[in-house]
Structure formats: structure tokens, C-alpha cells
């Protein structure tokens, strides 16, 4: 029997449709994206995480001559957050990805490994993390949980 899974996401027309907090996250992700170390892919990604205490933590992708040793912006950010703010919940995660050129406007979603890593912290904190992803311009897609990006989720409940 074939079955269907539905996921929900919100389509936000662009920056001007964001509320003030979301705009702050967009700006923070855009700014930190500039710090990306991406000499190999020339694809820069910035990530901003809003914590429950109101602080915003940011990070960018960091590449390496030994390619697999590099790390995405999302994981750079959430690992640093967990290391420096243990027990502090993550409320929203905003990602902006775009190549140096040409500048596209298609929302860039978190890769599979990042989805899995975000899920770990969402499960740990017992509260959903809203995910926003976009390019430097154009639509912004939002899900209310990383589980919408990872419908068949593997987490510690299986272990
Ligand atoms: N990248 C991220 O930082 N986040 C993602 O979710 C997708 C990919 C980075 C990894 C690499 O440095 C570059 O983008 C091209 O894959």
C-alpha cells in the first residue's frame, strides 16, 4: 500500500514580510555569511540561531583542503551554541546560502547532515526549533520543526 506523508512549510515572500525578530536573524545570518571560509566551493552560508534568552549566535561554513573535514554553517553554529550555552534552548534557526556569483534567489535548504544534527538538539531540548532558509534575496521558507524537513527521523528513541 502506498502512503503519503505531508510536510508543512510557510512561504514568506521576502525580507519585508519578516517581523522585527526575524529581520534581526536575517541580518545576522547575512553578515556572518561574509565570514564563510569557502575557497573551494565559493558557496557561502551564514546561520543565526535565536536562543531562549534572546541572544543570537551565528556561524558560517568552514571548508578544508581535505574536503570532508569542512563543516556547514548550521553545524558550526549549533555545536558552538551547545558548547557555550549548554541547556539554553534554541528557538529559531535562520540560514542564508548563496554562491559568490551568480546570486540566485532560490531558498537554500539545510543539507541532510545538518537536519540530523539540528534534530538531535530539538529532541534534547524537547521543544521545536523553527527553521528559516533562504538565499540573499527572494522567498524565505519556514518550517515549525526540523522534522518537517526530515519526515522519517532517526533519533535516540530507537537506541
Ligand atoms: N553548506 C552549508 O554550510 N550548509 C548547508 O546546509 C549546505 C552546504 C556549505 C558546505 C560547503 O562549504 C558549501 O556549502 C558547499 O556545499
Amino acid at each position: 500500500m502506498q502512503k503519503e506523508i505531508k510536510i508543512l512549510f510557510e512561504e514568506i515572500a521576502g525580507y519585508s514580510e519578516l517581523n522585527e525578530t526575524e529581520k534581526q536573524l536575517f541580518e545576522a545570518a547575512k553578515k556572518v555569511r561574509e565570514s564563510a571560509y569557502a575557497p573551494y566551493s565559493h558557496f557561502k552560508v551564514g546561520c543565526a540561531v535565536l536562543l531562549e534568552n534572546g541572544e543570537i549566535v551565528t556561524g558560517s561554513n568552514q571548508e578544508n583542503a581535505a574536503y570532508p573535514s569542512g563543516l556547514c554553517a548550521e553545524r558550526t553554529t549549533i555545536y558552538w551554541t551547545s558548547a557555550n550555552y549548554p541547556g539554553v534552548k534554541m528557538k529559531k534557526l535562520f540560514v542564508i546560502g548563496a554562491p559568490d556569483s551568480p546570486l540566485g534567489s532560490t531558498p537554500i535548504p539545510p543539507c541532510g547532515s545538518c537536519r540530523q544534527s539540528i534534530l538531535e538538539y530539538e529532541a534534547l531540548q524537547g521543544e521545536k526549533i523553527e527553521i528559516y532558509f533562504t538565499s540573499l534575496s527572494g522567498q524565505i521558507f519556514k518550517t515549525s520543526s526540523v522534522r518537517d524537513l526530515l519526515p522519517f527521523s532517526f533519533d535516540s528513541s530507537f537506541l
Side-chain angles (χ1 to χ4, degrees):
M1 183 198 289
Q2 265 198 330
K3 298 199 172 185
E4 193 180 6
I5 293 178
K6 282 192 183 161
I7 65 128
L8 289 179
F9 72 101
E10 202 179 314
E11 232 180 50
I12 301 168
Y15 178 83
S16 60
E17 300 299 311
L18 297 173
N19 65 32
E20 282 315 306
T21 305
E22 294 166 338
K23 279 183 178 161
Q24 274 183 9
L25 287 168
F26 182 103
E27 294 299 345
K30 184 178 172 185
K31 181 162 182 239
V32 76
R33 178 182 164 274
E34 291 304 318
S35 76
Y37 175 61
Y40 306 108
S41 71
H42 303 287
F43 191 89
K44 292 182 177 169
V45 185
C47 177
V49 171
L50 176 68
L51 305 181
E52 63 179 343
N53 65 10
E55 287 185 56
I56 294 175
V57 180
T58 59
S60 57
N61 54 327
Q62 301 295 320
E63 298 185 351
N64 193 281
Y67 294 173
S69 298
L71 197 63
C72 291
E74 297 90 319
R75 277 174 289 162
T76 304
T77 310
I78 59 177
Y79 291 160
W80 197 89
T81 302
S82 179
N84 290 282
Y85 296 86
V88 181
K89 289 180 181 159
M90 305 182 206
K91 306 291 282 183
K92 296 172 186 284
L93 182 149
F94 208 115
V95 196
I96 300 180
D100 280 349
S101 69
L103 285 183
S105 56
T106 308
I108 304 293
C111 80
S113 296
C114 288
R115 295 175 196 198
Q116 184 68 31
S117 300
I118 297 165
L119 175 69
E120 184 75 19
Y121 294 107
E122 186 175 290
L124 179 69
Q125 70 182 30
E127 213 175 282
K128 291 177 180 176
I129 302 172
E130 292 177 327
I131 312 285
Y132 297 75
F133 55 96
T134 186
S135 191
L136 281 172
S137 62
Q139 286 181 316
I140 298 149
F141 288 172
K142 175 187 174 188
T143 65
S144 59
S145 160
V146 72
R147 287 187 193 271
D148 284 316
L149 298 176
L150 205 56
F152 281 109
S153 308
F154 180 83
D155 62 25
S156 62
S157 66
F158 295 108
L159 299 176

